[in-house]
Amino acid sequence: MKRWQGIAAAAVVVVVVAVGGWRAMGARQAQQAAQAQLATQKAQPLVELAATDVVRAETRELRRGLPVSGSIKAVNSAFVKARVPGELLELVLREGDPVKAGQVVARIERTEGQARLNQAQQQADAAKAQIDIAERQFNNNKALVDQGFISKSALDTSQNNLAAARATHQAALAAVDLARKGVEDTVLRAPITGVVAQRLAQPGERVAIDGRILEIVDLSSLEMEATLSAADSVELRVGQDATLQVEGSARPVAARVARINPSAQAGSRSVLAYLSIADTTGLRQGLFAQGTVRLGQSSALAVPLSAVRTDKPSPYVQLVEDGKVVHRAVQAGERGDADKEKWVAVQGIAPGAVVILGHVGALREGTLVKFTGGPSPQPSPASGRGSKSPSP
């Protein structure tokens, strides 16, 4: 009896030792598994993203536009030029002074012109006197021919002399008109209403014919002269609206395509287009402007242009799926503006996909993602990946 009790006690001890060893082995295995999992997590890369680092792919109204730039010019401008040579007098206008069409802006010393007019007038008077003499000669010869005292040829000669005298008088009168116009041209008048842009001569200077005195510009009508490539000019049409940003001005300026040059520039093959500016308040000739001509709009699934990466043979975007970075090849379509940012239509991703923006940089596929400042964005129902959550 005692022998069996000893055996039973020994068996119990063996069982207890075996259970304890099994439990210790399980705990050791669990600890090893936890350590291995922790090591794996430490070895796998992890990137933290903010809500501003991602955006959802969604249908957008893309406004297509053509970038343009150029200088602002006055539609109407003119140079006041000297039509006769002489000393410049009475020029008091300076840059910025307003003028009206027909206003006297300067004079040229008229002594020479007046002397030429007097000379021409005296020559005309002399020619008129020759006509009187020729007329009397003709009348006398006609009476003598009628009485038979002189031949018919003498009358013809006097008639020709009268015709020559009249022609000489007409030429002298034309010379008088020409000299008078020269005197009138000593008064310089503004050809248009506007503002003096340049004063190109000074009082007392002797100016030559066609010498520039003043430049006048009409600031009530301004336009931008834009230079376009041959490819860009194909889509441009007269009447298309544009929005410009003028150098030194914070306000946007509305404009419209007014004219397109039918000929390309020699050498560069560029095409000039002219955009009329609606509100010219505060604008000046010569300022630089740039903006966009609106070509139309379309609706498509789109992502920001900066999110489409091209460091692989095919364009792709970086998505966040199941807490990891996934690369998806896409086909880029039309580009346009949305929310004051460049977006591009894409094919190859589902609506609502969480797209990593371009400023984050290239991330390795499979990289774990952790969102800071809140829960990670979840795909919308349109993507078939779960319930809808607010866009980041």
Side-chain angles (χ1 to χ4, degrees):
M1 184 67 180
K2 290 181 179 181
R3 180 181 177 184
W4 290 105
Q5 289 178 347
I7 293 173
V12 170
V13 171
V14 170
V15 170
V16 170
V17 171
V19 171
W22 178 80
R23 287 182 177 179
M25 183 179 298
R28 190 162 50 251
Q29 290 177 348
Q31 184 178 6
Q32 291 176 351
Q35 290 176 351
Q37 183 178 4
L38 181 60
T40 301
Q41 291 178 351
K42 288 183 178 180
Q44 193 169 6
L46 174 67
V47 64
E48 294 185 356
L49 298 178
T52 56
D53 294 330
V54 295
V55 70
R56 291 193 184 281
E58 56 186 10
T59 300
R60 291 267 182 163
E61 292 293 332
L62 301 180
R63 296 182 295 275
R64 296 190 302 115
L66 177 66
V68 292
S69 62
S71 297
I72 294 178
K73 300 176 63 177
V75 176
N76 297 317
S77 63
F79 284 98
V80 178
K81 299 180 180 180
R83 297 182 179 179
V84 294
E87 182 182 349
L88 186 63
L89 305 173
E90 300 181 19
L91 177 60
V92 297
L93 295 175
R94 294 187 177 274
E95 291 82 356
D97 289 337
V99 294
K100 293 184 178 180
Q103 175 183 337
V104 176
V105 296
R107 297 178 187 272
I108 294 177
E109 204 278 324
R110 58 186 295 174
T111 303
E112 296 181 14
Q114 187 64 49
R116 283 192 292 269
L117 175 59
N118 295 337
Q119 181 185 19
Q121 185 62 57
Q122 292 172 0
Q123 290 175 347
D125 294 341
K128 181 65 171 64
Q130 292 297 321
I131 291 178
D132 296 338
I133 295 172
E135 283 182 345
R136 287 195 299 269
Q137 183 70 34
F138 174 73
N139 293 332
N140 292 335
N141 289 342
K142 185 177 180 182
L144 294 174
V145 168
D146 293 339
Q147 297 175 9
F149 291 112
I150 63 174
S151 64
K152 181 69 167 57
S153 61
L155 178 63
D156 294 340
T157 300
S158 61
Q159 186 176 9
N160 293 335
N161 292 337
L162 176 58
R166 287 174 175 170
T168 302
H169 182 246
Q170 292 298 322
L173 291 179
V176 171
D177 293 338
L178 187 61
R180 182 178 293 112
K181 184 179 184 303
V183 173
E184 293 174 354
D185 286 343
T186 60
V187 180
L188 304 181
R189 301 179 182 274
I192 62 173
T193 298
V195 181
V196 176
Q198 294 187 79
R199 173 167 152 165
L200 303 169
Q202 301 300 326
E205 290 185 13
R206 183 172 180 83
V207 294
I209 296 178
D210 287 336
R212 294 182 176 184
I213 310 299
L214 294 174
E215 181 188 9
I216 301 174
V217 297
D218 181 8
L219 296 180
S220 64
S221 180
L222 298 177
E223 63 184 10
M224 185 188 79
E225 183 182 77
T227 303
L228 304 174
S229 66
D232 290 340
S233 65
V234 173
E235 293 190 273
L236 202 64
R237 299 288 185 275
V238 173
Q240 291 173 331
D241 294 327
T243 301
L244 305 178
Q245 195 68 44
V246 181
E247 175 185 18
S249 177
R251 67 180 179 91
V253 177
R256 177 168 292 188
V257 179
R259 307 186 311 280
I260 304 173
N261 197 314
S263 301
Q265 297 285 316
S268 64
R269 303 300 180 189
S270 58
V271 177
L272 295 179
Y274 302 89
L275 282 66
S276 60
I277 298 175
D279 184 6
T280 61
T281 305
L283 302 182
R284 297 290 183 268
Q285 179 174 254
L287 293 178
F288 180 78
Q290 57 184 352
T292 303
V293 177
R294 290 186 285 277
L295 302 179
Q297 65 180 27
S298 59
S299 179
L301 180 68
V303 298
L305 181 60
S306 62
V308 179
R309 304 194 61 83
T310 57
D311 51 351
K312 287 185 177 182
S314 300
Y316 71 97
V317 294
Q318 300 179 130
L319 306 180
V320 178
E321 293 183 358
D322 300 327
K324 294 181 180 180
V325 175
V326 177
H327 293 179
R328 286 280 186 273
V330 294
Q331 293 181 355
E334 289 187 349
R335 300 181 183 184
D337 294 328
D339 297 335
K340 298 181 179 180
E341 187 180 2
K342 280 290 184 183
W343 286 61
V344 58
V346 294
Q347 296 180 356
I349 60 175
V354 180
V355 181
I356 300 175
L357 295 176
H359 67 264
V360 176
L363 300 176
R364 182 179 299 176
E365 197 168 11
T367 300
L368 297 177
V369 175
K370 176 183 178 182
F371 284 89
T372 60
S376 62
Q378 297 296 324
S380 64
S383 65
R385 291 186 176 273
S387 62
K388 184 176 181 180
S389 65
S391 298

